[in-house]
Amino acid sequence: MNVAPMRGGTAVQDHVALAEIELCGDLIIAASAAAERMSFDRIDEVLRVSDGRDDGGVDEDRR
């Protein structure tokens, strides 16, 4: 990755912003390849989002 140097020769990276830009790009690519409107589940899949219900829907705090 190339980062533009700041004055004085130091480089600044915002890792959160770069990650968000990458996810946005992934979402744009998936949306452009989709034949129809993407479902919320597909959007979550592209953005690598989990709802925390891999255990059959039981909330961790309510066991």
Side-chain angles (χ1 to χ4, degrees):
M1 168 191 333
N2 294 326
V3 178
M6 298 286 291
R7 292 182 190 181
T10 61
V12 176
Q13 292 183 1
D14 185 338
H15 298 285
V16 174
L18 292 174
E20 289 178 357
I21 291 167
E22 181 179 352
L23 289 173
C24 186
D26 292 345
L27 187 59
I28 291 169
I29 291 167
S32 66
E36 55 190 46
R37 190 173 224 179
M38 291 174 50
S39 69
F40 289 116
D41 289 337
R42 177 65 180 131
I43 292 170
D44 287 348
E45 181 183 330
V46 170
L47 296 178
R48 299 181 284 274
V49 174
S50 173
D51 63 2
R53 294 187 181 181
D54 293 336
D55 56 358
V58 177
D59 190 354
E60 291 283 331
D61 297 333
R62 297 184 183 195
R63 285 190 200 183

